[in-house]
Amino acid sequence: MPIQPVDGTGRDNAIFRLGNELSVRLPRRELGAHHLANECRWLPGLAPHLPLSVPVPLGRGVPSEDYPWRWTVTRWLPGEVAALEHGLDEVQMADELAQFITALRTVDPVDGPASELRGIPLVQRDPWVRAAIEAVHGDWDPEAMTAAWESALAGPPWPAPGVWTHGDLHPANLLVIDGRLSAVIDFGLLGVGDPAVDVLAAWTVLSPPAREYFRGALQVDEATWARARGRALDFGLMCVANAPHDSLIGQIGRRTIDQVLADEDRTTANQGRGLGPGT
């Protein structure tokens, strides 16, 4: 059975297509192996509840003298990476994303793992984010970035029990067929936590007015929306810090920061005119 590498695979896993119907994912580093184990533990039980295809593991390979981590085999999910496609209907994408997130949230989170990295309280990310803002000085207005971050910190934390979250919703983890969302991939950060973790897709994936449509479809309250904007800024800065400027993830990170700052400017302007944030 022929095996071939897949272009554009991520920092954590190398992906190979195995024949016409299967794919193989091999961690590149220990963190990737940890994330893959998280997927294997929880995704099979979640997949039947979700309206889109997801990479449910069919089997796991074992470490050897030549390779130190466990790896997985999944069905090959057809489609194109959304980040590489142009002319997508963002309002339709917003609707499909909202349906996916809503379905994921409705699954009982009992005994689920705590959401890592993006699910921790924003205040715990404060030192890193402020240092990252200084590090990218010259690319964006540091005062605008700091204001956007402090606006997110100013609101109350999520008070309720956690919900299931994908944890990494950006356009390189979405597949489309004929312009429609067909699959969500890379569930390594899957966990239970603040729903704002997935609302950050409003800035990583969408632009206005699709962003407002997405917010309405999910019925996101103001505090969660503010936290999600902060998490999106954090995500964008992480991408810029860890990926080459011209890489796909680097480009997604820069676009996300641009969208957060533009949205913050629009919100501030509306408030100055006495209008609501979504006006």
Side-chain angles (χ1 to χ4, degrees):
M1 185 177 294
I3 185 169
Q4 57 184 342
V6 176
D7 292 337
T9 53
R11 296 175 65 234
D12 286 342
N13 296 285
I15 303 175
F16 296 84
R17 188 165 184 177
L18 181 61
N20 293 324
E21 298 184 358
L22 301 174
S23 64
V24 178
R25 295 175 66 195
L26 297 109
R28 297 182 186 273
R29 54 181 180 161
E30 188 172 355
L31 181 61
H34 170 70
H35 288 168
L36 204 57
N38 191 45
E39 281 191 30
C40 291
R41 169 65 181 86
W42 299 103
L43 197 51
L46 291 170
H49 301 278
L50 303 178
L52 297 168
S53 297
V54 297
V56 178
L58 300 177
R60 299 195 71 185
V62 298
S64 68
E65 294 181 358
D66 300 317
Y67 185 77
W69 300 299
R70 300 196 71 176
W71 45 277
T72 64
V73 177
T74 69
R75 295 203 180 280
W76 175 258
L77 298 179
E80 302 298 327
V81 175
L84 301 176
E85 294 294 288
H86 301 286
L88 296 174
D89 184 337
E90 285 199 7
V91 172
Q92 180 174 279
M93 180 82 74
D95 184 57
E96 292 163 342
L97 269 175
Q99 291 181 43
F100 172 84
I101 293 169
T102 299
L104 183 59
R105 288 179 181 178
T106 60
V107 181
D108 189 346
V110 65
D111 297 329
S115 176
E116 297 180 347
L117 185 60
R118 293 174 196 141
I120 63 177
L122 282 181
V123 67
Q124 294 184 30
R125 297 289 297 164
D126 186 50
W128 187 92
V129 169
R130 293 183 187 275
I133 289 172
E134 288 300 316
V136 298
H137 180 74
D139 291 338
W140 293 275
D141 179 354
E143 292 185 1
M145 298 179 79
T146 300
W149 178 245
E150 290 181 345
S151 176
L153 288 177
W158 176 245
V163 298
W164 278 108
T165 61
H166 175 279
D168 205 17
L169 286 178
H170 59 74
N173 286 339
L174 305 175
L175 301 182
V176 295
I177 297 176
D178 296 331
R180 299 203 58 164
L181 189 59
S182 61
V184 180
I185 60 175
D186 198 347
F187 283 74
L189 294 179
L190 178 71
V192 174
D194 180 356
V197 173
D198 282 348
V199 179
L200 65 78
W203 295 272
T204 64
V205 179
L206 303 171
S207 307
R211 183 175 303 134
E212 291 301 328
Y213 181 92
F214 177 73
R215 179 178 183 177
L218 277 177
Q219 299 182 332
V220 182
D221 63 87
E222 185 61 35
T224 299
W225 193 251
R227 291 195 310 279
R229 187 187 293 124
R231 293 191 188 281
L233 178 61
D234 185 9
F235 166 83
L237 288 167
M238 282 192 287
C239 291
V240 170
N242 293 301
H245 182 281
D246 59 350
S247 68
L248 181 60
I249 293 299
Q251 293 172 22
I252 290 171
R254 299 183 73 83
R255 179 190 180 279
T256 298
I257 294 172
D258 289 341
Q259 291 292 322
V260 168
L261 295 182
D263 194 52
E264 187 73 12
D265 287 344
R266 189 168 68 93
T267 299
T268 301
N270 284 343
Q271 290 173 343
R273 295 195 299 269
L275 302 175
T279 303

